[in-house]
Structure formats: C-alpha cells, structure tokens
C-alpha cells in the first residue's frame, strides 16, 4: 500500500464507499417491503410428507375447497339462550352467504348442551391475506345483531388474524428497537461518537441488500417467508454485521497504532481478520443451510434466507467498513485516539486480571465452570417442546384466545375444528364407527354434498369420502393430540379403508413429531459442519473438538436455565416444537463465533510466543471486543421480545442468555483454562503441539514487510 500511487490508495476506498451508498439508497427500502411477500398462513408451513398434509391435498379433490373456519360463539346475558336469539343468530350469519371472502353458506346456530351458548361456523377463503381482518369485522358486525347476546369469534381464522396483528409493523418496530439497543451499547462501551454510527450504517446496508435479495426470491417462489422468518432475518443481520464490524474495527485500531498509515492499517486489519470473520460466517451460514434437511417448510425457509443475510453481513464488513476506516483514520474513534499501547501486550486491566487468574489455577477454573454448566444442563430434559396451547401463543391478551375459552366452556373442545378423515367410500360406515369408538372423540359423521356431517346424501369423489370427527378436548391441547394418535390407530385398522387423518390438531401433532425427528438429523449435521470449519481454520484436531464440546455444553446449560425461567417465571407450560432446534442452530453457530475470534488470535500469538503466552495474550487483546460483541448480539436478539408471541420471546431468551453465558463464562474462563492446562498438546497434530513457534515479534515484522 505504501508503494502504490497516492491517488490509487484512496481511490479504492472511495469507490467502495460510493457503491455502498448507492446500494443503501436503492435497496434500503426493501427492509420495509419484505412484509409484502410474507405469509402468516400456517397451512403453508406444514410437514411435507406428513399424513395431515396428504389429507389437505386430498380435500382439494372434493367440491368443497380448502377453507379457513371462523367460529362465532354467542353467550346470552341471561342464564339460557332463547329460541328467538337462536333464530336471530342463524339469520345474522346466514346473511353473510355470498359476501366477499365467505365460502358457501354458514352453518345454522347450534345450541350448547347447557343451553347457555350458541355457535356457528363461517367458512372463509384461506387466501384472504391482508383482507382477513376486514372480513372478520364484517362477520363480527353481523353476529352482534343478536339482541341480548355477546358475540365472539374463535377458530383458525381468528387466530390467524391475531397472528397477523402481532406481526403488524414488524419492519419498523423491530429494526428500531434493535438499532437503538446497538447504538446505546456501542456509545457506552467505545465512547466514540462516529464509529457506532458507521457500524450501524454498515449493518443497515447489509439488511437492505439481504431483504432485496430475499424479496426477489420470494416473489419468484424460490423461498418462503413468514413473520417469524422476517423478524429473525432482521435481528440476525444486524447482530452478525455488528459483531464482525467490532472485530475488524478493533483490529484496525491496533494496526493503526503500529503502522500510523490508515490505508496500510486497513489492509492489514482486513488480512488478519479475514480468516476469523469468514470462518465465523461460514459456521452460521452452513448451520442455517442445514435446516434444508428439515421436513418442516418454515425451517427450510429460514435456512437460505438466514444464509443470505449472513453473506450480506460479511460483504459490508469486509468492504464498506474498511473503506470508511481507511478514509477516516483516527477520526473514526473521536474523541478518543488510538495509541501505541493499543497494540502492545498490555490489555484492558480487567482482562489482564482474568488472564492472570486463569493462568494461576487453570485446572481449578475449568473444573468449577464445567461443573456449574453441567449442573445447569441437568435441567435441560425438563424443557417441554410438545407445543404451546392456544392461550399461550400470544404473550398479551388476544381476542381469539378469549373466544376459544368461551367456546370450550359450553361445547366440546374440538367444536368447529374437527379431525378430518379421508377414506374409501365403501368403508365409510366402518370408519365412522371406528372413529366414534375412539376415546376422546365426541362425535363423527360423513360429510354430505351440503358440506355438513350427516345432512343428506354422502359426497363421494373418486371413490373417497370425508368424515369429520369432533374431539372432546380443545383442538390445540395435548389431550387432543393424544386422541389423534388413537384415532389414527383405529381407522388405519379398518381393512380396505385406506384412511388418513388430518385437520388442525393432526397438523399440530405432525409438526411436533417432525420437529423432534429434525433435531435428531440436523443437530449432528451442524456439529459436524462446525467441527470441520474449526479444523481447517486452526489446523488442529483436539482444540476444535474441545470448542465444539464446550459450545454444546453451553447450549444444554442454556436450555436448563430456560426450562426453569419459562415455567416458573414466565408461566409457559412448554415451547413450540421448533424452539429447541432454532435455539440450537443460532446459539451453537453464533456462540462458536466468539471461540473462533479468540482461538484464531490465540493461534496467531502462539506462533510467535508459544501456546501458554498465546492464550494469555489472545484473551487480553480480544476480551473487550468479544465481550462487547456478545452483549450487542444478546441485545439484538432480546429485541425479538417486542413481538408479543411466545415463540419469539422464547427464542429471544434462549439466544440472548446463551450468548452472554458463552461470552462471559465459556470463552473467558472455560476454553482458555482448558487450553492452558492441556498445554501445547492441545494443538495436535500441528507444529504448535511440539512447542514450535516463531520468535517473538516475527508476526508483526512479517506484516510490516507485506504492508
């Protein structure tokens, strides 16, 4: 760089800056447009090979198209519903026939066994999208015409509307909270005015580029996006881009103090950070792509979308940020100024003390931290991942939840949301009888051409019939899922029926079973990917195995703490079936980043100073920046809690707590203590395992010559 013409030395950074300003100005708005191609229709994210998915496909052959049920429930002001109110309820929803969004004719109002409530089912088109709240308002307005009765709307349509409402404004709200958290932390930690804004600008550019690419792919049906994937993408890009930027900025500060020349310092900083940043990004991107092995469509959707976000974060870190730093030099850190001591062996006083303690009693440190993490991990099996009941899906009060509770008080729990059985027409009676005899089934009947069970001649399509079975328990409950197991066993036993059981409860059950299977497949794949990357980066076998083992232990300890917090503090009876898998992919892939940052620097220093001194210097020089990065990443994921959904609140806690635990305990104490205690043998089979190293100062001499 010093021998290059002066004009050329500044031309490249200036061109890169102008290119990214153009990218930000052109593609930045896509960060707010991704919701246009997102869908929150959960039917689009079912297991691809599950029995309930086959039922969904089979139902399309019937004259009745797939619908989204809205269940209207009335409760009277008095003790019992009158006949006049029942007639008025039937008339009010009957008037909706032919309305936009309504499929067929609503069912008549049915009286509960206790005589205190009515219910009617209005079938809506499943593709209403943003029009769904408007159509539900029309249904609600019609239902409220019944004098002396309160009307509520339950069922899948109401739940989907509340879900869409929870994601409303996700683009601006989530992005604003995440960026504000990052800005405050960076200002407090670095006490620099300009650098935090440069880092945030780079992360916003990365997010805009990622959203533009995902938007284009989603428009062409290459990837699917829902509100959860959309929110996670924003957090993932902001967090990853900030982490990588902090590592590069810290290295640039060191090199600037050594070289003095800002262009040369930027080049050396990129060269010496490139391996750690790209290796870290590769672990996250490939870990996310491992989700393509899932049979759940929303898991498969998150894989490529998240990987695209990570690639964009790396691009801004290795191009935009070095360009700005090369142009600004020391001004980037104003009002502080990089000093020569920033590049010396002296680190922050806190990390010097930590390194001294670890060095004094390494075996005691790793034994104590290992035992504490193991004790916490012992609680991990208590985390239930059997799904979240409807009344826990939303963190705050939702109208659909209150309506479902009212419905459950007066009608069988599965009313309006039956299990759907597709069977051979010649065995319809036998299948219906088997369904009725199943424990947990309140009633069952074959569906007629009118669309209602037992009301006229059966509808037969290609020799198949549809049988609806109403369950005693609420459709989203554990008892209902157990009933689905028994129902399938009974109807499958009917010879010649070729029966399939689907419907909402069966979909939830299949999703839960598929998620459990996915964990057994994807977890080993992700661990294998991470181990391979670490072996290639560190050129060792033992250290990578230790790092993977410590990160896995950190994940199990986090699950143990999460189990206690979710049950005893937050009041969750369980988690969504996908939460442990998402938590694993994010926490393990992101958590290993900090070990990569640490151990790549340790290896670099060990080549010059030996294994023990390499660990101590690596810990002191990276301690501040890695801790800052961990706090920033935890804060960005914690921003997911602004979305009032249990799934995202649980993911946010698992990742935020796990990252902090990994940063403050695993990376700061456990890993350094293990490597020091094992000694040079930890680097087997590289030359470092034999205690080989270059003379002190050789590393910097080589860099100065290359610069």
């Amino acid at each position: 760089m010093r021998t290059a013409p002066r004009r050329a030395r500044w031309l490249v950074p200036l061109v890169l800056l102008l290119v990214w300003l153009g990218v930000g100005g052109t593609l930045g708005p896509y960060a707010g447009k991704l919701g246009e191609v997102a869908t929150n229709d959960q039917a689009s994210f079912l297991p691809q090979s599950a029995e309930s998915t086959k039922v969904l496909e089979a139902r399309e052959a019937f004259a009745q198209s797939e619908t989204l049920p809205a269940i209207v429930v009335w409760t009277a002001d008095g003790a019992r519903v009158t006949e006049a109110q029942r007639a008025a309820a039937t008339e009010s929803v009957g008037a909706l026939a032919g309305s936009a969004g309504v499929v067929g004719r609503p069912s008549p109002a049915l009286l509960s066994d206790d005589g205190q409530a009515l219910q009617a089912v209005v079938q809506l088109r499943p593709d209403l999208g943003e029009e769904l709240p408007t159509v539900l308002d029309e249904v609600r307005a019609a239902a409220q015409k019944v004098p002396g009765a309160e009307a509520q709307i339950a069922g899948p349509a109401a739940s989907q509307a509340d879900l869409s409402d929870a994601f409303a404004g996700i683009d601006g709200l989530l992005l604003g909270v995440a960026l504000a958290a990052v800005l405050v932390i960076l200002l407090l930690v670095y006490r620099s005015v300009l650098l935090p804004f440069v880092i945030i600008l780079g992360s916003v550019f990365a997010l805009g580029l990622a959203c533009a690419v995902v938007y284009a792919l989603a428009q062409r049906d290459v990837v699917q996006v829902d509100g959860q994937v959309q929110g996670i993408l924003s957090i993932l890009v902001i967090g990853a881009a900030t982490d990588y930027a902090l590592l590069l900025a810290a290295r640039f500060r060191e090199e600037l103090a050594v070289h003095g020349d800002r262009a040369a310092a930027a080049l050396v900083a990129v060269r010496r950070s490139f391996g750690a940043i790209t290796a870290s990004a590769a672990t996250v991107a490939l870990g996310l792509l491992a989700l393509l092995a899932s049979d759940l469509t929303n898991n498969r959707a998150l894989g490529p979308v998240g990987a695209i976000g990570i690639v964009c974060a790396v691009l801004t870190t290795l191009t935009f940020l070095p360009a700005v730093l090369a142009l600004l030099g020391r001004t980037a850190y104003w009002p502080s100024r990089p000093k020569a001591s920033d590049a010396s062996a002296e680190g922050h006083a806190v990390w010097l003390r930590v390194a001294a303690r670890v060095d004094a009693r390494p075996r005691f440190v790793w034994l104590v931290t290992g035992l504490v993490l193991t004790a916490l991990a012992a609680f991990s099996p208590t985390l239930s991942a059997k799904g979240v009941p409807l009344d826990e899906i939303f963190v705050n009060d939702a109208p659909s939840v209150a309506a479902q509770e009212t419905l459950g008080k007066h009608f069988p729990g599965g009313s309006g949301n039956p299990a759907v059985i597709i069977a051979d027409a010649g065995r319809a009676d036998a299948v219906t009888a088997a369904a009725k005899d199943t424990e947990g089934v309140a009633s069952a009947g074959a569906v007629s051409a009118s669309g209602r069970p037992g009301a006229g001649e059966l509808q037969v399509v290609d020799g198949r019939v549809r049988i609806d079975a109403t369950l005693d328990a609420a459709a989203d409950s554990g008892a209902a899922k157990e009933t689905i197991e028994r129902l399938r066993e009974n109807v499958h036993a009917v010879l010649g029926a070729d029966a399939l059981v689907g419907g909402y409860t069966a979909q939830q059950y299949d999703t839960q079973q598929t998620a459990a299977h996915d964990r057994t497949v994807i977890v080993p794949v992700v661990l294998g990917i991470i181990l391979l990357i670490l072996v290639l980066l560190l050129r060792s076998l033992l250290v990578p195995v230790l790092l993977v083992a410590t990160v896995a232990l950190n994940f199990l300890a986090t699950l143990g703490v999460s189990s206690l917090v979710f049950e005893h503090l937050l009041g969750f009876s369980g988690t969504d079936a996908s939460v442990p898998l998402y938590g694993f992919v994010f926490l393990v892939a992101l958590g290993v980043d900090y070990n990569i940052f640490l151990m790549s620097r340790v290896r670099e220093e060990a080549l010059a100073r030996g294994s023990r001194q390499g660990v101590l210097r690596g810990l002191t020089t990276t301690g501040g920046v890695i801790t800052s990065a961990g706090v920033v990443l935890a804060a960005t994921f914690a921003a997911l809690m602004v979305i009032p959904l249990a799934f995202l609140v649980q993911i946010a806690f698992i990742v935020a707590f796990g990252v902090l635990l990994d940063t403050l305990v695993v990376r700061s104490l456990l890993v350094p203590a293990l490597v020091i205690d094992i000694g040079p043998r930890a680097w087997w089979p590289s030359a470092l395992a034999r205690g080989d190293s270059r003379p002190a100062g050789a590393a910097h001499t080589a860099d100065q010559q290359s610069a």
Side-chain angles (χ1 to χ4, degrees), residues 398-585:
S400 61
V401 174
Q404 193 67 41
E405 290 176 353
T406 301
L407 187 67
K409 290 178 182 177
H410 303 285
F411 294 92
S415 292
N417 212 353
V420 177
I421 306 170
I422 303 295
D424 185 84
R427 304 291 289 160
D429 291 341
V431 172
T432 302
K436 288 180 177 179
D437 290 341
T438 301
E439 180 185 352
V441 174
S443 63
V447 177
S448 68
S450 65
R452 290 192 292 272
E457 185 178 352
L458 292 185
Q459 182 186 28
V460 180
V461 178
D462 296 331
R464 307 280 281 171
V465 295
R466 168 182 165 177
I467 300 167
D468 284 357
T470 300
L471 309 183
D472 286 324
D476 61 328
S477 66
K481 294 169 187 172
E482 293 173 1
T483 300
I484 289 294
E485 289 187 77
R486 294 190 293 268
L487 181 60
R488 281 179 171 171
E489 182 179 352
N490 287 351
V491 300
H492 289 170
V494 178
L495 296 178
D498 193 21
L500 299 171
V501 178
Y504 177 81
T505 305
Q507 292 166 4
Q508 300 301 305
Y509 174 78
D510 287 341
T511 298
Q512 175 185 313
Q513 296 300 306
T514 303
H517 174 265
D518 284 348
R519 290 195 294 271
T520 63
V521 173
I522 295 174
V523 167
V525 171
V526 173
L527 291 176
I529 289 171
I530 292 174
L531 182 61
L532 178 61
I533 292 173
L534 289 174
V535 168
L536 294 175
L537 175 69
L538 300 176
R539 301 170 192 176
S540 165
L541 291 178
L542 185 53
V543 167
V545 170
L546 288 175
L547 294 182
V548 170
T550 57
V551 170
L553 178 60
N554 178 71
F555 170 69
L556 293 176
T558 300
L559 284 191
V561 173
S562 299
S563 176
L564 299 175
V565 171
F566 292 165
E567 181 178 357
H568 300 292
L569 294 182
L570 301 181
F572 293 126
S573 61
T575 71
D576 184 88
S578 296
V579 163
L581 180 60
Y582 276 28
F584 173 82
V585 171

Side-chain angles (χ1 to χ4, degrees), residues 30 47 249 259 281 312 320 324 335 374 448 475 498-499 510 569 610-611 620 652 699 704:
Y30 281 93
H259 298 280
C312 293
F320 169 76
V324 176
T374 302
S448 68
D498 193 21
D510 287 341
L569 294 182
S611 179
T620 55
Q704 290 170 352

Side-chain angles (χ1 to χ4, degrees), residues 69-92:
I71 306 172
V72 184
V73 56
W74 294 267
T75 50
D77 294 340
R80 299 183 68 83
V81 175
T82 65
E83 282 299 323
Q85 288 174 324
R86 182 176 182 180
T90 299
E91 182 180 355
S92 67

Side-chain angles (χ1 to χ4, degrees), residues 36-49:
E36 297 176 8
V37 292
T39 174
N40 292 310
D41 178 10
Q42 296 305 296
S44 300
F45 298 93
L46 296 175
Q48 294 180 327
S49 60

Side-chain angles (χ1 to χ4, degrees), residues 144 294 500:
Q144 288 173 344
S294 172
L500 299 171

Side-chain angles (χ1 to χ4, degrees), residues 232 275 287 289 333 380 413 417 444 447 470 485 516 593 604 700:
I232 290 173
L289 288 176
Y333 301 91
S380 60
N417 212 353
V447 177
T470 300
E485 289 187 77
D593 278 5
E604 177 185 332
H700 275 297

Side-chain angles (χ1 to χ4, degrees), residues 95-107:
L96 293 168
S99 300
V102 177
V103 179
R105 185 173 182 81
S107 70

